Amino acid sequence: MPALVRRLAILCLTLAVACAALFSLAGQDLWLTLAITFGTAAYHLGIRLLVGRAYDTWMGNRADLSRWWYQPRPWEDRLYRALRVKSWKDRMPTFYPDEFSPQKHSWEEIAQVMCQSELVHETNILMSFLPLLAAIPLGDFWMFFVTSLGGALFDLSLAILQRYNRPRVVRLAKRQHRTAPKKETVT
């Protein structure tokens, strides 16, 4: 998945530059519309890669599970039922499936990855609206707004998914920790 997103980002950027060049030569609005469309797509794909990389460098998939931000809120279960998260959660993509594999990681490590993933998606929600600034010089506010809203809603669904699943994974981590054989100390 990461390689596919990188290739798509590069392709969209290339097409945006080509369409912008054609617009400057021909002056037809179609080329400007295509340049904006491909440029916005390149931004949305590229920023998600950059934000993920920044959090990987900063946190290294290690999060303090006890921090306030990661704790479930009393109203979340009602929200998850209203959004019917259980019915669509298994159809969402996983960017790095190996990071969520209980065969390769402990449940505590998976819970930490989930915390970092939540932060990545929450940051992406905010970053989704930066292209609106391009509407000032380029116009076509609604095109920028629709793509920004679409990107934000996609990341919101992934952040919700992390929060929905994490309490169960944390319970599994606690159970795994209790049943793990104790290390003997030599005195």
Side-chain angles (χ1 to χ4, degrees):
M1 178 83 85
L4 174 65
V5 172
R6 273 192 299 276
R7 283 193 290 264
L8 281 173
I10 291 168
L11 175 64
C12 287
L13 181 61
T14 303
L15 290 170
V17 169
C19 290
L22 288 169
F23 172 72
S24 68
L25 292 173
Q28 295 175 339
D29 287 343
L30 171 65
W31 296 120
L32 178 60
T33 300
L34 289 173
I36 290 170
T37 302
F38 288 125
T40 304
Y43 168 80
H44 282 289
L45 294 167
I47 200 67
R48 278 153 181 78
L49 292 170
L50 291 172
V51 167
R53 177 69 59 155
Y55 274 102
D56 251 0
T57 301
W58 176 44
M59 295 179 71
N61 284 333
R62 297 289 177 249
D64 180 355
L65 299 174
S66 67
R67 295 197 72 159
W68 171 84
W69 189 257
Y70 305 128
Q71 301 310 304
R73 307 294 187 263
W75 48 265
E76 285 185 56
D77 282 335
R78 286 188 309 274
L79 175 66
Y80 301 146
R81 278 193 301 277
L83 295 174
R84 305 174 79 183
V85 175
K86 191 174 184 178
S87 68
W88 53 263
K89 70 181 183 80
D90 294 330
R91 289 180 273 197
M92 297 301 288
T94 303
F95 203 67
Y96 293 112
D98 285 354
E99 296 295 327
F100 296 92
S101 169
Q103 288 77 33
K104 296 181 180 182
H105 299 283
S106 71
W107 288 112
E108 183 175 3
E109 290 171 328
I110 292 170
Q112 292 173 340
V113 170
M114 294 172 89
C115 291
Q116 179 176 313
S117 294
E118 177 189 335
L119 292 176
V120 167
H121 294 301
E122 291 165 346
T123 303
N124 285 340
I125 291 167
L126 298 174
M127 299 301 282
S128 289
F129 291 99
L130 274 181
L132 290 176
L133 296 175
I136 296 167
L138 298 173
D140 214 349
F141 171 82
W142 290 109
M143 180 187 296
F144 286 105
F145 179 76
V146 167
T147 58
S148 293
L149 184 62
L153 289 173
F154 179 71
D155 276 294
L156 178 61
S157 68
L158 295 172
I160 286 170
L161 191 58
Q162 297 304 326
R163 292 193 68 84
Y164 174 82
N165 285 322
R166 192 169 47 247
R168 283 171 275 292
V169 171
V170 168
R171 282 193 300 274
L172 287 168
K174 287 178 181 175
R175 189 177 312 140
Q176 186 179 50
H177 184 69
R178 281 194 308 268
T179 61
K182 304 292 183 212
K183 293 181 182 178
E184 292 183 28
T185 57
V186 178
T187 55

